[in-house]
Amino acid sequence: MTTTSAKAAEKQGVTQNVEAFLKGRFSEAQKRFQGLEGEANKAFRALETKGQVAAKEVQALWTKVQAGELRADPRVQELTKKVDEAGVELRKRLDGFQAKVVGAVGVASQSQVEQITRELGRLSKKLDVLLKPTRRAHRTTKNSGGAASSPRA
């Protein structure tokens, strides 16, 4: 029986050693976790503070934009001028590109169509002026001819 009790005692000693080892590792891990948790809380508070500061700055800028104060800023005026110049340059390039494409395809451009439409309107008015007297003369002869001279009879 001594061997069984010796084995049991040995087994109990190993179990206690493993238990003590695991408890030690667990407490170390817990300490490290608490340290990391503290650092994460500090970082979160710092980010929260920075976010609040940024939100205040954005609100101040938005207030200035709504009040039109930024338009008086020379930097904004310079940027506006540059944007306008770039827009004009872009329109010129697009118009030139459009003219090249229209020329290559052989279709009239918008300005040419407008010019043709104006010319057609002018010619139409001239035709109306020239045709009005003949229409009146044609109507009177048609009405004065009577029923016998009607081509429908």
Side-chain angles (χ1 to χ4, degrees), residues 136-153:
R136 287 184 188 152
H138 186 64
R139 283 185 187 159
T140 52
T141 49
K142 212 178 193 186
N143 290 340
S144 65
S149 65
S150 175
R152 292 185 190 175

Side-chain angles (χ1 to χ4, degrees), residues 81-92:
K81 183 179 175 183
K82 287 180 180 179
V83 167
D84 290 342
E85 289 172 357
V88 168
E89 180 65 27
L90 182 61
R91 274 190 218 98
K92 286 180 184 177

Side-chain angles (χ1 to χ4, degrees), residues 13 17-18 37 88 91 103:
N17 285 342
V18 170
E37 189 177 25
V88 168
R91 274 190 218 98

Side-chain angles (χ1 to χ4, degrees), residues 101-122:
V101 168
V102 167
V105 172
V107 178
S109 68
Q110 186 175 0
S111 62
Q112 290 172 332
V113 169
E114 289 172 358
Q115 184 180 3
I116 291 170
T117 303
R118 283 193 301 268
E119 185 66 21
L120 283 173
R122 188 179 64 77

Side-chain angles (χ1 to χ4, degrees), residues 2-119:
T2 23
T3 46
T4 20
S5 61
K7 285 183 183 179
E10 185 179 324
K11 191 175 181 181
Q12 189 177 10
V14 170
T15 305
Q16 286 176 351
N17 285 342
V18 170
E19 201 176 294
F21 174 76
L22 289 176
K23 281 183 181 178
R25 292 303 238 170
F26 181 72
S27 66
E28 288 176 22
Q30 197 171 12
K31 287 177 185 176
R32 279 187 277 172
F33 180 73
Q34 286 173 347
L36 289 173
E37 189 177 25
E39 289 178 30
N41 283 335
K42 287 178 188 177
F44 179 74
R45 279 188 242 115
L47 286 174
E48 189 176 30
T49 304
K50 287 180 183 179
Q52 289 172 350
V53 168
K56 287 178 184 176
E57 289 177 6
V58 167
Q59 184 61 38
L61 279 174
W62 182 247
T63 304
K64 285 181 180 181
V65 166
Q66 287 179 329
E69 291 178 27
L70 288 179
R71 293 181 187 213
D73 188 350
R75 295 176 294 177
V76 172
Q77 289 176 348
E78 183 66 28
L79 285 174
T80 303
K81 183 179 175 183
K82 287 180 180 179
V83 167
D84 290 342
E85 289 172 357
V88 168
E89 180 65 27
L90 182 61
R91 274 190 218 98
K92 286 180 184 177
R93 287 183 180 181
L94 284 175
D95 288 344
F97 181 69
Q98 183 182 15
K100 287 179 182 177
V101 168
V102 167
V105 172
V107 178
S109 68
Q110 186 175 0
S111 62
Q112 290 172 332
V113 169
E114 289 172 358
Q115 184 180 3
I116 291 170
T117 303
R118 283 193 301 268
E119 185 66 21

Side-chain angles (χ1 to χ4, degrees), residues 115-135:
Q115 184 180 3
I116 291 170
T117 303
R118 283 193 301 268
E119 185 66 21
L120 283 173
R122 188 179 64 77
L123 291 173
S124 177
K125 287 179 185 177
K126 281 186 177 182
L127 276 174
D128 286 345
V129 168
L130 291 174
L131 290 178
K132 281 185 183 178
T134 39
R135 285 186 182 164

